[in-house]
Amino acid sequence: MSKFELSNRSKSIIDSIKDEDLKLVFHTAITVTPIDFGVPYTGGLRNWVMQNDLYTRGKTPVDGIDRISNHQYGVALDYYAYIGGRTSYNKIHMAIVGSCILTVGNMLRAEGKIKRELRWGATFGRKGRTFQGYDFPHIEAVYTYDELQNMGAL
C-alpha cells in the first residue's frame, strides 16, 4: 500500500469520464504507486472546445473537430507525477507512474475485474525497435472505432 491518495480535484476529473474500467484502474493505482500522481484539469473528459484549445496551443496533434480525441469520448485520462510537492513531467517519473497504472490494469483484467485493455501514450508511434513515444501523460481504454462512434463524442 502506498501512502498516497488522489486529491478531490483528481477524483472528480477521473469520475467524469465514461469508461468504468479506467476509473477503477486509476483509483486502485494510487494505492500501490511508488510515486504520487494526479490528473490535470484538462486530463479527463473534454468537449471539442477544450480539445481545440489544447490543439491551438500546440499541446496535442488532435484538433477535436476533424480529428476526435479519445478524451472527447470519455475513455482516456492524462496524469502527472507529483514529486516533493511539485508537478513533474520528468520522463523517468512518468514512466514509473505509467508502468504502475498499466500493471494495475493488467492485474485487474487478469482477475476479471475490468474487461478493457489499456494503452499508454508513451508507446504511441513505436516503429520496430525505435521508440517514438510522444504522449507520456496519456492512458486510454482500448475501444474499436465502431464502439467509439456509438458512444458519441463531446
Side-chain angles (χ1 to χ4, degrees):
M1 294 301 258
S2 80
K3 59 185 180 227
F4 307 118
E5 63 180 66
L6 293 164
S7 69
N8 287 334
R9 188 196 72 199
S10 288
K11 288 178 189 174
S12 176
I13 294 166
I14 291 167
D15 292 341
S16 75
I17 68 168
K18 295 176 185 177
D19 187 82
E20 296 296 328
D21 289 352
L22 195 53
K23 290 179 191 182
L24 178 60
V25 169
F26 267 66
H27 283 292
T28 304
I30 195 66
T31 69
V32 296
T33 182
I35 293 180
D36 197 4
F37 70 88
V39 179
Y41 173 73
T42 59
L45 185 62
R46 298 178 192 150
N47 61 33
W48 73 270
V49 174
M50 293 169 67
Q51 185 66 36
N52 192 258
D53 178 60
L54 291 170
Y55 172 77
T56 302
R57 292 189 288 133
K59 303 290 185 184
T60 177
V62 180
D63 67 5
I65 300 167
D66 294 323
R67 292 183 61 207
I68 306 299
S69 166
N70 281 346
H71 287 279
Q72 291 172 261
Y73 292 108
V75 300
L77 286 167
D78 290 343
Y79 66 92
Y80 57 83
Y82 198 68
I83 305 288
R86 300 187 68 129
T87 298
S88 172
Y89 285 96
N90 173 287
K91 287 188 177 181
I92 293 171
H93 300 152
M94 297 298 284
I96 292 169
V97 174
S99 296
C100 178
I101 293 168
L102 288 179
T103 299
V104 167
N106 288 334
M107 290 173 56
L108 292 174
R109 194 162 174 237
E111 293 169 0
K113 294 181 180 175
I114 67 170
K115 56 185 171 191
R116 296 284 172 187
E117 181 181 347
L118 301 182
R119 185 169 38 221
W120 182 26
T123 63
F124 290 177
R126 184 176 293 276
K127 295 181 181 175
R129 293 182 177 203
T130 305
F131 178 74
Q132 299 188 13
Y134 62 84
D135 198 358
F136 263 82
H138 182 89
I139 304 272
E140 63 186 30
V142 177
Y143 283 79
T144 67
Y145 176 80
D146 288 341
E147 288 174 318
L148 290 174
Q149 295 308 301
N150 289 333
M151 293 174 93
L154 292 182

